[in-house]
């Protein structure tokens, strides 16, 4: 390829994936990628030895700076903060590390890290950046980056014990997860509480995000009985007239609820061994504006990093 736009288009899925992992919202990730594109347009390909390394470096640095800004805004967020959901193709579910990195559960945990810790964890654990290259990216020494990486890893694994050095959380095949979600939604619609409880893990957690703009539970709901009752209550009241479309959301089984042609909420489910272990509902309208687009994600596993 010789055209700068062609190069950028080829790398865009990777750049978006890095940005989304760093900032946690599709809208902000798009802003980060667009900012890098504007700078890229002003460069000549002949001046760049490795376009992939140049663009990955640019999006990583811009994403970190952006994260420092939005992190302060989220301190005053009303209710539970959940990431902006994205629709993904099934290919994302086949890469276990990628799927877990964009899962709602992981992004919620990453939100508890300091910006630099998050950047180091994401770049090393998800995208396989060497510590030395991360040190160049964030302007710290390699020993300091190693310490930050260790601290971030301990923090994440304390909250995500299923993540180990060699494995990540087990991910169901997309169709298996969709079948469970379809049966769950049908049971909620028909008010079959016993069926709902049978599909829920005993310690299942439900979280809703309305951002203070629409009605949503402001605290997590825990336990199969309470989550089942919550689901039936929604199906009988505010969601009674919703049109439901099954979808892959953040590389996991999910559903999109529309009212009069407008997206009302997006749900994502963690399914392990045929049972729902977590149920997330995003209702904040600001986080639903781009949910119609199906994102192609990329972890850049075939690349050699030379920022």
């Amino acid at each position: 390829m010789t055209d700068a736009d062609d190069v950028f288009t080829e790398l865009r899925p990777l750049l978006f994936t890095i940005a989304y992992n760093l900032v946690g919202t599709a809208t902000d990730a798009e802003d980060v990628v667009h900012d890098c594109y504007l700078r890229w347009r002003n460069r000549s390909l002949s001046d760049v030895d490795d376009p992939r390394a140049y663009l990955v470096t640019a999006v990583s640095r811009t994403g970190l700076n952006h994260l420092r800004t939005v992190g302060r805004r989220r301190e005053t967020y009303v209710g539970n903060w959940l990431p902006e959901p994205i629709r993904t193709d099934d290919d994302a579910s086949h890469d276990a590390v990628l799927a877990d990195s964009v899962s709602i559960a992981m992004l919620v945990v990453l939100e508890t890290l300091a910006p630099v810790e998050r950047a180091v964890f994401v770049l090393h654990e998800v995208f396989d950046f060497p510590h030395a290259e991360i040190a160049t990216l964030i302007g710290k020494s390699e020993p300091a980056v190693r310490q930050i990486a260790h601290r971030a890893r301990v923090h994440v694994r304390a909250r995500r014990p299923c993540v180990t050095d060699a494995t990540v959380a087990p991910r169901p095949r997309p169709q298996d997860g969709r079948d469970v979600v379809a049966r769950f939604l049908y049971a909620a619609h028909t008010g079959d509480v016993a069926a709902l409880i049978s599909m829920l893990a005993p310690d299942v957690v439900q979280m809703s995000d309305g951002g203070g703009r629409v009605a949503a539970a402001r605290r997590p709901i825990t336990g199969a009985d309470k989550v089942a009752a919550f689901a039936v209550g929604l199906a009988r009241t505010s969601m009674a007239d919703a049109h439901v479309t099954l979808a892959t959301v953040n590389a996991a089984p999910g559903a999109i609820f529309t009212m009069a042609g407008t997206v009302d909420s997006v749900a994502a489910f963690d399914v392990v061994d045929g049972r729902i272990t977590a149920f997330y509902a995003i209702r904040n309208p600001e986080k639903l504006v781009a949910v119609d687009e199906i994102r192609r994600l990329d972890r850049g596993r075939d690349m050699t990093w030379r920022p």
Side-chain angles (χ1 to χ4, degrees), residues 50-131:
D50 187 338
R52 290 181 297 187
Y54 173 87
L55 285 168
V56 166
T57 300
V59 82
S60 299
R61 288 174 173 165
T62 304
L64 177 57
N65 291 336
H66 196 87
L67 181 62
R68 287 170 172 146
T69 300
V70 299
R72 289 191 289 271
R73 294 204 306 263
R74 291 174 191 169
E75 292 176 0
T76 59
Y77 197 81
V78 178
N80 303 308
W81 182 93
L82 292 175
E84 183 179 338
I86 56 173
R87 293 186 67 179
T88 53
D89 57 27
D90 288 345
D91 286 347
S93 305
H94 299 154
D95 179 343
V97 173
L98 176 60
D100 196 65
S101 75
V102 298
S103 69
I104 301 293
M106 178 60 84
L107 291 170
V108 168
V109 172
L110 292 179
E111 192 67 16
T112 64
L113 293 172
V116 170
E117 288 179 334
R118 180 172 185 162
V120 170
F121 181 88
V122 165
L123 294 174
H124 183 65
E125 299 292 329
V126 180
F127 297 97
D128 297 323
F129 275 54
H131 290 115

Side-chain angles (χ1 to χ4, degrees), residues 247-265:
T248 302
V249 178
N250 289 68
I256 298 174
F257 299 82
T258 58
M259 298 277 208
T262 300
V263 176
D264 175 89
S265 55

Side-chain angles (χ1 to χ4, degrees), residues 171-228:
R171 309 292 293 182
R173 292 184 305 164
Q175 188 55 50
D176 293 342
R178 277 196 289 267
D179 289 345
V180 174
V181 170
R183 289 188 284 112
F184 175 83
L185 295 174
Y186 179 77
H189 179 72
T190 58
D192 191 342
V193 175
L196 286 171
I197 291 175
S198 72
M199 287 180 271
L200 296 170
D203 57 350
V204 62
V205 176
Q206 194 283 331
M207 294 180 67
S208 300
D209 178 347
R213 295 171 58 94
V214 296
R218 294 193 177 185
R219 295 180 180 178
I221 300 170
T222 305
D225 291 350
K226 292 181 180 179
V227 172

Side-chain angles (χ1 to χ4, degrees), residues 16 29 32 44 48 69 76 85 87 94-95 100 118 147 157 182 220 234 239 264 269 274 278 289-290 292:
F16 175 83
V32 168
S44 169
V48 181
T69 300
T76 59
R87 293 186 67 179
H94 299 154
D95 179 343
D100 196 65
R118 180 172 185 162
Q147 290 182 343
R157 287 170 185 167
L234 282 180
M239 293 290 115
D264 175 89
F269 299 80
V289 294
D292 288 336

